[in-house]
Amino acid sequence: MGADRQRARGSSPPSRALARLGWTAALLLAAPSCESVTPSVSPSPPPSGAAQARLELHAGDADVWAFSARIQGALAGAGALEDCAIRVGSGVFPAAIEQQRFFADVPLTEGENEIVARCREASAGDLDSPAVTYRVRLEDRPRARARAALAGGKLVLDATSSEPGERSRAEIVAFEWSRLRGGAAPEPLGQGARLELPAPDAGDQALVELRVRDERGRGDAARVAPPLEAASGATAPAWIDDAVIYGVVPPFFGDPPLRSVRAALPAIEELGVTAIWLSPIFAAPEGDFGYAVTDYFSVRPDYGTEQDLRELVDDAHRRGLRVLLDLVPNHTSAEHPYFREAERRMHRAHSFGFYDRDGGGEPTHYFDWEHLPNLNYDSPEVARWMLEASLHWVRRFDIDGYRVDAAWGIKQRRGELWSPWAAELRRVSPHVALIAEASARDPYYLQNGFDAAYDWTEELGHWAWKDVFGAPRGVAARLGAALAATSAAAARPERTLRFINNNDTGARFVTRHGPGLTRVAAAALLTLPGIPCVYTFDELGAEYEPYGGLTPVPRPPRGQLARHYERLIRLRRSVAALRSPGLLTVHAGGPDDEVFAYVRYGGDASRFALVLLNFSERPVKTRLAVPEPFADHARGGLRDALSGAGAHLRAGSLALDLAPWDVRVLVPR
């Protein structure tokens, strides 16, 4: 960090500058600290030497993600400054002087702020700088905070911790409560900062919404989940543990992309998934997959309009599908206006400090991502900018969560960021799900606001299952070892996002390994603990590379593979044991077979599922010992939940006659 940047962030006016009080500073320092004073004294006409010197602000027009800013400038040419002030709108604020430079921390208001500096120079008289405009991108609204608790047989709703607008501090004058049930109209509950209502029925999952309004008419809303859930200490939304996510790359579905995705929702719903994850939809350079963002607050025009997105989200919600967006907070595109301005004006750009830099002042990046400069989360403005971007899509489009790209990068640079970020999102919508693109083996992410993380090894970006399928023999044993390694390190293995394809896995699994192995791998994906993610057209066996171009993907007709996925997803949703955390490996291959067998179970051992997977093109005949206590509950016989065929234990073991690439899910009759 350079000395100039340290001074710009944290220095205070030197005493020698305050000692030189001219008419501007004297009037201002006599005023209360929170107010500005417009001097009534007219400046004297400048001497003829005024043409020899000019005043410059070290800033151009800029977006500001704060209600204050440090304004800096300097005298260009020979001379000595006697006193300086910064005018912001109608307010005037004293500036400290260091030789020919001056600076002041000034308050700003929402929207546009015209800024001009005026200094007195000994020979030239009063000098004015050219004006610049700082646009404050924050809304000066109150902040609603809703709490719900059960006390004395009553539901107590409390809004007393709500806060006035951070700039205006305008008093909150209205508190309105309502109950939200699915797509039904809100049910009014009453008004007031604190309400006591009859306790809801057990199992009532309706959200309670608080809306506040201040004396200027500005408002905000917050939601709170059922109090029994909140009392349990769980921050994750209840729906995440039952989720089956479908990754969607909009342009692969057709043109225009967002409308084409909406048209595909009936087929996605029929597949049985519970949520869709849209690849990045924010503005980006033409042809880019989306991780080079140029505007976090607009839908990229080649995908569609805001109305297209709103209709897609609303239609998905009517079908019971949650919608997650892909958030990219680690970096922007090098084409982002903030970065381009920083490169053009360097230290004089307000956005220069928005980007992480090395000791030489050069922007940093990961890997070979030279076009993706890292953001600087030591800047409070950057943290606020990304928070406001996150809240924008939740508030305006009611999206249900985020897959957070390169979450590991921000952990490395500013690890304390994620917890308050997640808390603020859940203040607005407690059922938002947050998935980190980072390793589930690192407990940090679940401890800092995320609900799930990727099935990666400890090596950044390395898929835990990558080497499992690298050779045709030994798949079962390698899969067992990979599962054991994740289970040993992950705080909650069931909160691991599992996949056989995503945007970063290159050629599709079916291309690399063929339809037989794909069929069995899909069964493992959908029957193991974790949150399964099916990616664009996996169920159809489509073959493409995600970064090969943003054009519609040729889709095979729905066939046996699609029906296989549908049955597995339906089974996962109907058999509670397949959604539970319990996993007991019974057999993980051996010298003579490629069978992987495991028991899935919850709190009730009588309700279990025995999964048998043959990772081989060869048939297998053998016997499998079923461990206690599950064998006791299987004495009445087992049924294959996929085919309906029966199976019986003899002396605690099961005779297996598996076809090539066979899949069985056995449950007690």
Side-chain angles (χ1 to χ4, degrees):
M1 184 181 296
D4 286 347
R5 187 171 168 201
Q6 287 180 320
R7 182 163 59 248
R9 290 183 59 202
S11 59
S12 57
S15 58
R16 67 177 183 274
L18 293 179
R20 297 196 300 268
L21 294 179
W23 60 268
T24 303
L27 280 173
L28 289 164
L29 292 180
S33 59
C34 294
E35 302 294 333
S36 65
V37 175
T38 303
S40 59
V41 180
S42 299
S44 57
S48 59
Q52 306 299 317
R54 68 182 187 278
L55 211 58
E56 294 181 345
L57 289 180
H58 291 173
D61 295 347
D63 285 352
V64 181
W65 295 92
F67 284 109
S68 64
R70 172 157 289 194
I71 307 300
Q72 301 182 84
L75 177 68
L81 297 176
E82 294 185 343
D83 63 4
C84 292
I86 307 295
R87 189 181 77 236
V88 183
S90 61
V92 181
F93 304 89
I97 299 171
E98 290 183 342
Q99 298 178 354
Q100 290 185 301
R101 302 177 63 184
F102 61 90
F103 61 91
D105 294 316
V106 301
L108 303 171
T109 58
E110 179 183 341
E112 294 193 348
N113 296 257
E114 185 179 79
I115 299 172
V116 176
R118 170 170 287 181
C119 293
R120 174 164 292 174
E121 195 277 323
S123 60
D126 293 333
L127 302 175
D128 288 345
S129 72
V132 299
T133 299
Y134 272 18
R135 294 172 297 275
V136 173
R137 294 290 304 273
L138 303 177
E139 294 184 28
D140 189 19
R141 63 165 78 191
R143 180 174 295 178
R145 292 192 181 278
R147 295 178 179 174
L150 291 175
K154 297 284 187 179
L155 173 63
V156 180
L157 303 178
D158 190 340
T160 56
S161 60
S162 299
E163 303 167 15
E166 58 189 288
R167 176 71 173 87
S168 68
R169 310 306 296 173
E171 181 183 0
I172 299 175
V173 296
F175 302 84
E176 298 179 355
W177 299 87
S178 58
R179 182 177 280 119
L180 307 179
R181 297 184 187 278
E187 173 192 344
L189 294 176
Q191 300 185 16
R194 193 173 186 277
L195 293 182
E196 290 190 6
L197 303 171
D201 295 336
D204 188 347
Q205 293 297 303
L207 289 174
V208 173
E209 182 176 72
L210 165 68
R211 290 190 172 272
V212 302
R213 187 178 72 256
D214 67 19
E215 58 190 353
R216 303 179 307 149
R218 296 295 183 90
D220 189 35
R223 295 176 178 178
V224 62
L228 293 180
E229 179 181 323
S232 71
T235 58
W239 65 267
I240 195 69
D241 288 317
D242 297 334
V244 179
I245 297 174
Y246 192 84
V248 170
V249 184
F252 292 176
F253 282 74
D255 189 35
L258 292 178
R259 292 184 186 180
S260 298
V261 174
R262 185 185 176 196
L265 286 179
I268 294 173
E269 178 186 16
E270 181 182 351
L271 186 60
V273 301
T274 64
I276 61 173
W277 150 39
L278 299 177
S279 67
I281 61 165
F282 312 135
E286 185 176 354
D288 185 85
F289 192 83
Y291 292 108
V293 179
T294 56
D295 184 355
Y296 289 89
F297 295 86
S298 66
V299 174
R300 55 187 296 172
D302 55 333
Y303 279 20
T305 65
E306 286 195 353
Q307 185 61 27
D308 292 335
L309 177 62
R310 184 169 286 108
E311 291 174 357
L312 167 59
V313 173
D314 290 346
D315 195 0
H317 285 170
R318 283 191 293 271
R319 298 174 183 277
L321 295 169
R322 308 271 181 172
V323 180
L324 287 81
L325 299 187
D326 204 325
L327 186 70
V328 190
N330 176 73
H331 51 260
T332 71
S333 168
E335 298 298 314
H336 194 288
Y338 292 172
F339 187 73
R340 295 177 69 177
E341 180 71 359
E343 290 295 280
R344 185 175 71 87
R345 296 178 58 88
M346 300 304 288
H347 288 276
R348 294 192 173 197
H350 182 75
S351 58
F352 183 84
F354 287 8
Y355 291 89
D356 188 68
R357 297 180 184 275
D358 62 21
E362 293 298 314
T364 68
H365 60 82
Y366 292 113
F367 307 117
D368 59 350
W369 302 348
E370 294 184 8
H371 66 301
L372 302 176
N374 289 334
L375 287 167
N376 171 28
Y377 280 94
D378 286 337
S379 165
E381 283 193 65
V382 170
R384 186 64 180 274
W385 170 25
M386 285 300 115
L387 174 61
E388 293 298 323
S390 307
L391 291 170
H392 173 83
W393 302 96
V394 174
R395 283 172 169 151
R396 293 195 58 190
F397 297 88
D398 198 25
I399 66 105
D400 301 290
Y402 291 108
R403 176 267 189 190
V404 182
D405 183 66
W408 49 267
I410 296 174
K411 179 211 172 187
Q412 289 179 0
R413 304 195 306 280
R414 191 68 185 244
E416 67 272 24
L417 172 85
W418 288 126
S419 285
W421 173 79
E424 183 66 4
L425 281 174
R426 292 201 169 101
R427 176 186 70 84
V428 174
S429 183
H431 285 173
V432 162
L434 304 172
I435 299 173
E437 191 203 18
S439 177
R441 297 186 185 183
D442 185 344
Y444 162 89
Y445 296 97
L446 265 61
Q447 294 168 359
N448 284 271
F450 286 97
D451 306 311
Y454 272 44
D455 193 13
W456 285 354
T457 69
E458 290 78 7
E459 183 180 348
L460 187 61
H462 187 84
W463 179 33
W465 290 11
K466 180 179 179 181
D467 296 330
V468 165
F469 306 104
R473 296 288 174 259
V475 171
R478 291 192 297 270
L479 178 59
L483 291 170
T486 295
S487 181
R492 297 187 63 178
E494 73 275 15
R495 293 284 180 81
T496 300
L497 185 77
R498 300 199 191 276
F499 50 88
I500 59 173
N501 285 314
N502 66 23
N503 55 299
D504 287 324
T505 51
R508 301 297 82 185
F509 192 95
V510 70
T511 303
R512 287 177 281 125
H513 302 293
L517 187 55
T518 297
R519 184 177 185 276
V520 187
L525 172 72
L526 289 160
T527 59
L528 284 165
I531 302 168
C533 179
V534 181
Y535 207 69
T536 293
F537 308 137
D538 278 353
E539 75 283 7
L540 302 180
E543 299 188 67
Y544 62 90
E545 295 208 26
Y547 299 135
L550 298 180
T551 57
V553 167
R555 283 168 259 181
R558 298 178 78 85
Q560 288 294 329
L561 185 60
R563 288 187 283 275
H564 181 61
Y565 268 94
E566 289 170 7
R567 286 194 294 267
L568 287 166
I569 293 171
R570 191 180 306 118
L571 195 60
R572 183 182 182 91
R573 295 184 64 179
S574 63
V575 177
L578 295 177
R579 304 190 306 276
S580 70
L583 173 69
L584 176 62
T585 299
V586 178
H587 184 76
D592 301 321
D593 69 72
E594 290 291 336
V595 174
F596 188 52
Y598 47 92
V599 176
R600 299 282 280 109
Y601 61 93
D604 184 354
S606 67
R607 299 182 180 275
F608 67 91
L610 174 61
V611 181
L612 309 172
L613 306 176
N614 181 13
F615 284 101
S616 170
E617 79 286 0
R618 299 179 298 182
V620 174
K621 290 188 177 183
T622 187
R623 296 197 69 84
L624 180 74
V626 178
E628 299 292 350
F630 307 109
D632 285 342
H633 297 292
R635 297 190 189 284
L638 297 169
R639 175 181 59 86
D640 184 359
L642 289 173
S643 67
H648 294 278
L649 267 68
R650 290 184 179 177
S653 69
L654 184 68
L656 298 185
D657 187 358
L658 301 177
W661 311 119
D662 207 353
V663 173
R664 308 275 182 91
V665 181
L666 304 178
V667 296
R669 286 186 179 276

